[in-house]
């Protein structure tokens, strides 16, 4: 299950992504927002972050105008490794090397065609482990030290 969330700036792109996930036969849960009415991105970044951190959803996709604010919000949730990606190489590497579990996109930065390719790249790659596991463990230690 994939958790989806956005603010008003990411609403239209989220609709495109939902259709794309439907076409791929992938299950998702929409954590909002549900309209283009102005709203606060931290609410939706946190909601997706909590869904992923709790295990209710395996991965998440979050969208705001730039992807920056909503990724900051999601990364405040313990256990979330949200990565803002504007290209397919970054999406591939963040899954393989950083074990990112949430993809952040900027709807005003990438168009829908590229965004869907980034989504596919993120979803179709897995964590490689090995030397990268040590580095992710170090990230987790930093996070635990902030409690």
């Amino acid at each position: 299950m994939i958790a989806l969330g956005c603010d008003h700036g990411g609403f239209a792109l989220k609709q495109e992504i939902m259709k794309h996930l439907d076409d791929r036969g992938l299950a998702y849960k929409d954590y909002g927002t549900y309209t283009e009415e102005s709203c606060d991105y931290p609410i939706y970044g946190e909601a997706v972050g909590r869904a992923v951190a709790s295990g209710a959803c395996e991965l998440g996709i979050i969208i705001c105008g730039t992807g920056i604010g909503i990724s900051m919000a999601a990364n405040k949730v313990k256990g979330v490794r949200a990565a803002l990606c504007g290209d397919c190489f970054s999406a591939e590497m963040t899954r393989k090397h950083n074990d990112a579990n949430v993809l952040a996109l900027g709807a005003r930065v990438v168009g829908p065609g590229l965004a869907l390719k980034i989504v596919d790249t993120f979803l179709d790659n897995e964590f490689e482990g090995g030397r990268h596991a040590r580095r992710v463990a170090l990230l987790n230690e930093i996070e635990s030290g902030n409690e």
Side-chain angles (χ1 to χ4, degrees), residues 20 42 48 144:
H20 185 68
V48 168
S144 293

Side-chain angles (χ1 to χ4, degrees), residues 49-104:
R50 292 202 183 281
V52 171
S54 72
C57 293
E58 181 181 345
L59 297 170
I61 301 171
I62 51 179
I63 313 138
C64 69
T66 63
I68 297 168
I70 202 163
S71 66
M72 289 176 159
N75 276 321
K76 297 292 184 188
V77 178
K78 184 175 182 176
V80 170
R81 287 176 304 283
L84 172 58
C85 297
D87 61 86
C88 293
F89 181 75
S90 297
E92 177 184 356
M93 290 299 108
T94 201
R95 287 288 293 136
K96 288 183 174 182
H97 292 189
N98 310 124
D99 198 19
N101 50 16
V102 176
L103 170 66

